[in-house]
Amino acid sequence: MTAFFTKRLGNHQKKMMRFLKYVMNDHFVLVCMIALGGMGYYYSSYLKTLDTSVSYMRILVLVIWLLAISIGKLSTLIQEADGVFLLPKEPEMLPYLKKGLQHSLIIPIVSEAIIIGVSFPLLVATTQIEFSSYIWFLLSAVTLKYSHLWIQLESLYLDTKKVVYWQDFIWFVGAILSFSLGLYVSPYLSLISAVIFGVVLVLVAKKNVQNSQLDWDKSIISEQQRLKRIYSFFNLFTDVPGIATQVKRRRYMDGVLNRIKKETANTYLYLYSRVLVRSSEYSGLIIRLTLVGLILIWFSQSFWLMIIVGVLFIYLIGFQMLPMYHAFDYMLMTQLYPVDTSQKRQAVNSLIRWVLVSAVTLFSIATLIVFPDKKAAAEIVIAYVVMTLFMTYIYLPNRLKKIEKK
């Protein structure tokens, strides 16, 4: 069964890689680089303001680390048909699940290493803890996560609901106690405490699993929910089979939509405006990009960094809306409308212009509030306006013409 899991894992990874190539595109990588640069600059500046008089930092770091060890779910790769075809192999499923548990440790370990590593300077700047203690806290987090994955594995078996509930509670208390001992007493005690709690919880879980039967329905549903969360993320960047775009009525936007006159000249404007407002594919994307841009601008303290971030996100918002041009290509009735197809281009450009103006207004307000030099802030706002004019009157019209010719 371990070889069977390895084969299934290989197929799963190939499938994930097909989607990742759409996620890790040039725009996403560029945004991540700029975001990391801006956040790193702000974080380094913030660290310089800290000293031993900051008393709450241990509690803040404790909360961050507790959130870090909650990252990652048990990956079983169990499929719906397994409840029938693998039922005769149920006695051999435990090695299969153990293999899944080992695979499930990879992402949590990497996440914990990064999160603990990034947050550790907060402790060094405000306490007597040294950087050399990092490894003890990381080992504590990995130990706690390993025991938590065993509890998740145990929950897939019948008649374990009450036991798992109490084990989760004990695990959470143990995590708080382990990190608290390390932060307030000694880093070595953090690892010792984590190992004690971890060993006890794992031994109890192994004993309960050996005396119970696998709950196939729960195992299948649990894995489907895990994969759905992953596919929902991929669906932000590309179409994923089985993940449909949500459409919501949004009555509160009727006042805005009804301002568009119902006449022949506004046929496509009428249609595209409803796609923009009611489809999560575009409205959600615009909101996310605008919020990320606002956050980066808010925490940026550099003149040029604020310009680069604002201009980049204005471009990304406009560029990501271009596929809306094809929203009604699948409808036969739009091909029969006695309407000039140039209306499509004009309608899409008008909507993108409206969205960009709204985003630039928010970026400008944030810039004027955050940036101390108001004259320089006004220059940044001018750069945003110039980029918006370039996008709506030069770049987008030419881009839409090329799309129309294809």
Side-chain angles (χ1 to χ4, degrees):
M1 290 301 289
T2 55
F4 178 65
F5 179 86
T6 303
K7 182 179 179 181
R8 181 169 282 185
L9 177 62
N11 295 332
H12 173 73
Q13 289 175 336
K14 288 178 182 179
K15 189 175 183 180
M16 293 296 103
M17 291 303 297
R18 288 202 300 270
F19 292 122
L20 276 175
K21 70 179 181 180
Y22 295 107
V23 176
M24 303 302 293
N25 53 45
D26 294 340
H27 298 121
F28 185 77
V29 172
L30 185 59
V31 169
C32 287
M33 289 176 62
I34 292 177
L36 288 173
M39 293 171 66
Y41 177 81
Y42 174 79
Y43 186 50
S44 62
S45 301
Y46 176 69
L47 288 174
K48 295 175 183 177
T49 65
L50 298 176
D51 53 39
T52 53
S53 63
V54 182
S55 58
Y56 62 84
M57 199 54 70
R58 281 187 173 95
I59 298 175
L60 176 62
V61 170
L62 174 62
V63 172
I64 293 173
W65 290 358
L66 289 174
L67 293 174
I69 62 175
S70 67
I71 295 174
K73 299 294 182 182
L74 178 65
S75 173
T76 63
L77 303 181
I78 291 178
Q79 299 177 6
E80 190 170 0
D82 293 348
V84 176
F85 294 102
L86 292 185
L87 190 59
K89 290 283 188 179
E90 183 175 338
E92 302 176 35
M93 282 301 293
L94 186 55
Y96 174 95
L97 294 174
K98 286 181 180 179
K99 198 73 175 176
L101 188 147
Q102 294 170 8
H103 169 70
S104 304
L105 266 177
I106 297 174
I107 292 179
I109 289 175
V110 174
S111 302
E112 289 163 7
I114 294 173
I115 294 172
I116 295 176
V118 170
S119 60
F120 213 78
L122 296 172
L123 291 176
V124 175
T126 57
T127 67
Q128 302 300 319
I129 297 174
E130 299 179 352
F131 274 112
S132 57
S133 302
Y134 165 79
I135 187 64
W136 305 114
F137 287 109
L138 178 59
L139 290 175
S140 302
V142 172
T143 303
L144 290 167
K145 187 61 191 179
Y146 178 74
S147 62
H148 193 232
L149 287 174
W150 259 105
I151 295 173
Q152 292 181 33
L153 189 152
E154 181 186 3
S155 69
L156 301 180
Y157 282 76
L158 294 169
D159 302 324
T160 57
K161 186 175 181 181
K162 290 183 179 180
V163 177
V164 166
Y165 174 81
W166 285 108
Q167 284 180 313
D168 273 329
F169 176 76
I170 294 170
W171 175 84
F172 183 69
V173 173
I176 295 176
L177 179 62
S178 299
F179 285 140
S180 298
L181 286 172
L183 292 171
Y184 288 96
V185 183
S186 171
Y188 303 106
L189 290 178
S190 176
L191 180 58
I192 293 171
S193 176
V195 169
I196 293 172
F197 276 99
V199 169
V200 172
L201 290 171
V202 170
L203 288 176
V204 172
K206 285 184 176 180
K207 182 180 178 181
N208 292 336
V209 163
Q210 290 173 352
N211 299 326
S212 184
Q213 292 181 317
L214 185 65
D215 188 337
W216 286 98
D217 290 338
K218 187 174 183 180
S219 301
I220 292 168
I221 292 172
S222 177
E223 182 63 13
Q224 287 176 341
Q225 291 174 344
R226 188 188 72 86
L227 290 175
K228 185 178 179 181
R229 288 191 291 269
I230 297 173
Y231 291 148
S232 296
F233 172 73
F234 289 153
N235 196 50
L236 299 176
F237 302 87
T238 185
D239 293 332
V240 178
I243 302 294
T245 301
Q246 292 183 344
V247 178
K248 296 184 179 179
R249 177 72 174 80
R250 295 193 172 97
R251 291 182 181 275
Y252 55 87
M253 293 298 293
D254 285 352
V256 176
L257 296 175
N258 291 335
R259 295 180 63 182
I260 300 174
K261 296 180 179 179
K262 297 178 181 179
E263 54 187 30
T264 304
N266 293 331
T267 299
Y268 281 104
L269 184 61
Y270 180 92
L271 293 172
Y272 283 126
S273 62
R274 278 151 179 80
V275 170
L276 175 63
V277 170
R278 295 173 179 171
S279 171
S280 60
E281 182 178 1
Y282 297 104
S283 59
L285 181 64
I286 293 166
I287 292 171
R288 285 188 293 272
L289 287 174
T290 304
L291 287 176
V292 172
L294 277 173
I295 292 170
L296 293 178
I297 288 172
W298 188 270
F299 289 106
S300 299
Q301 300 295 323
S302 169
F303 175 83
W304 288 108
L305 183 60
M306 293 181 82
I307 290 180
I308 292 172
V309 170
V311 166
L312 175 64
F313 274 87
I314 291 168
Y315 168 77
L316 287 176
I317 292 170
F319 181 83
Q320 294 290 346
M321 288 183 65
L322 285 172
M324 186 169 60
Y325 181 88
H326 298 293
F328 295 101
D329 286 358
Y330 70 96
M331 292 181 62
L332 179 62
M333 293 302 297
T334 58
Q335 309 296 326
L336 301 177
Y337 285 162
V339 177
D340 192 341
T341 54
S342 62
Q343 275 196 29
K344 293 176 65 176
R345 183 175 71 249
Q346 295 169 1
V348 172
N349 195 37
S350 297
L351 287 174
I352 296 177
R353 184 188 305 121
W354 179 82
V355 169
L356 291 182
V357 168
S358 301
V360 167
T361 301
L362 294 174
F363 290 171
S364 301
I365 293 172
T367 301
L368 293 171
I369 292 174
V370 172
F371 208 73
D373 187 345
K374 300 307 175 186
K375 182 179 179 181
E379 294 175 354
I380 295 172
V381 171
I382 291 172
Y384 297 163
V385 173
V386 170
M387 181 61 182
T388 306
L389 294 174
F390 168 77
M391 287 289 291
T392 55
Y393 291 102
I394 299 177
Y395 178 80
L396 291 175
N398 290 330
R399 186 81 180 185
L400 288 168
K401 285 179 181 178
K402 291 180 180 179
I403 293 174
E404 191 177 55
K405 291 179 181 178
K406 291 182 179 180

